[in-house]
Amino acid sequence: CDRKETETEAQTQTQTTPAKDQERKGRGREMVKLTAILILKWNGEATDPHMLGLASDLTQFGYFERPVVRDMLNFVSRTIVKRTQPGQRQTVEHQEYLCHAFNKEGVAAITFADKTYPRRSAFCVINKVLDDYLEKFGQNWRNHSADTNEGNPILEAALREYQDPSKADNLLRVQKELDETKIVLHKTIDSVLARGEKLDNLVAKSSDLSVASQMFYRTARKQNQCCKMM
């Protein structure tokens, strides 16, 4: 869409100030529907995925909240994608967000959108960014053994373009019909975890979360608000 305020993660860091954030924080929460898109390399159930690209619009959050939110995006993305099998689509409810993930035979994408953003539209965006990524980089993703940001430009363009879900719906004309009945639905992140796994333990071990982010998690957990971004 044509929203001038839509920014990628890098732009957000360099072009905004606390004063500007306070000015538009309230209306930002109403405007943003698609908060983040990430592409990851799935490394099986025993190893965390590697990041292949990320784009996020965090203008709806306060200036000093964003580092924690960014950490949580990385952590939640790895947690969900790691537990999304090849060929599987999952939607995980995450407080006011819905996290939509699809693993396309080892290369996966996940979106964070509010509940007004149609699920079908979100998966159309996921299909589009995966197709664009594979068209540009082919099978090179298989060789990555660490995080990379090579997919950022593709994701940044998609984040701007598909804030309006009606534009994402137009992708259905060129994509195969999406069977929504095959999407696995989860009410919480905890329900994605394998038996015996605990979210608290994953948070404590995660390299994505700073000390401040872990403190936020523990506080939110006590208040029964986890894992709300903010």
Side-chain angles (χ1 to χ4, degrees):
C1 77
D2 296 326
R3 283 179 57 250
K4 294 182 181 179
E5 291 182 1
T6 301
E7 302 171 1
T8 63
E9 181 181 26
Q11 292 172 322
T12 296
Q13 285 182 288
T14 58
Q15 297 181 1
T16 60
T17 64
K20 290 181 180 179
D21 291 334
Q22 189 64 29
E23 221 174 278
R24 62 189 179 186
K25 184 176 178 181
R27 55 196 173 99
R29 288 191 184 277
E30 296 177 359
M31 292 174 66
V32 174
K33 294 184 177 181
L34 191 58
T35 298
I37 314 173
L38 300 90
I39 295 178
L40 302 94
K41 176 189 176 184
W42 184 74
N43 292 316
E45 298 179 2
T47 307
D48 284 342
H50 290 126
M51 294 286 180
L52 302 177
L54 181 156
S56 61
D57 179 348
L58 304 183
T59 52
Q60 74 268 40
F61 297 102
Y63 184 81
F64 297 107
E65 295 174 330
R66 291 176 193 164
V68 173
V69 176
R70 198 173 296 118
D71 284 354
M72 292 303 295
L73 285 173
N74 292 339
F75 170 71
V76 172
S77 296
R78 288 193 214 268
T79 300
I80 294 176
V81 167
K82 183 178 180 179
R83 293 156 181 83
T84 303
Q85 298 298 312
Q88 185 181 35
R89 299 180 188 271
Q90 297 197 97
T91 294
V92 181
E93 190 169 338
H94 190 58
Q95 291 294 329
E96 71 266 37
Y97 293 94
L98 291 177
C99 309
H100 307 281
F102 173 46
N103 185 338
K104 188 174 183 178
E105 305 306 323
V107 59
I110 184 169
T111 63
F112 290 76
D114 66 27
K115 294 180 180 179
T116 66
Y117 200 94
R119 181 174 59 188
R120 179 182 62 180
S121 302
F123 279 107
C124 285
V125 173
I126 285 174
N127 290 345
K128 173 65 173 172
V129 298
L130 286 175
D131 287 346
D132 289 351
Y133 176 85
L134 291 172
E135 181 179 354
K136 183 172 183 178
F137 297 105
Q139 298 299 309
N140 289 342
W141 61 270
R142 297 183 183 276
N143 300 322
H144 289 306
S145 57
D147 290 349
T148 176
N149 60 5
E150 67 182 13
N152 284 16
I154 292 171
L155 299 178
E156 290 163 2
L159 191 68
R160 290 191 298 268
E161 177 71 15
Y162 300 116
Q163 284 296 321
D164 180 354
S166 66
K167 293 188 177 182
D169 284 340
N170 290 335
L171 295 172
L172 282 176
R173 298 176 183 177
V174 294
Q175 294 180 2
K176 294 181 180 179
E177 184 177 355
L178 177 63
D179 187 355
E180 293 189 68
T181 63
K182 294 183 179 180
I183 299 173
V184 181
L185 305 178
H186 298 276
K187 283 294 185 181
T188 65
I189 290 182
D190 296 85
S191 66
V192 180
L193 305 181
R195 182 175 299 178
E197 285 188 309
K198 293 185 178 180
L199 192 58
D200 290 354
N201 294 339
L202 296 180
V203 167
K205 296 176 182 178
S206 174
S207 59
D208 285 320
L209 300 177
S210 64
V211 173
S213 297
Q214 291 191 17
M215 288 179 62
F216 159 74
Y217 166 83
R218 288 192 291 269
T219 301
R221 192 74 158 178
K222 289 179 181 178
Q223 297 174 354
N224 198 31
Q225 293 179 341
C226 193
C227 292
K228 187 175 180 179
M229 291 296 181
M230 269 296 170

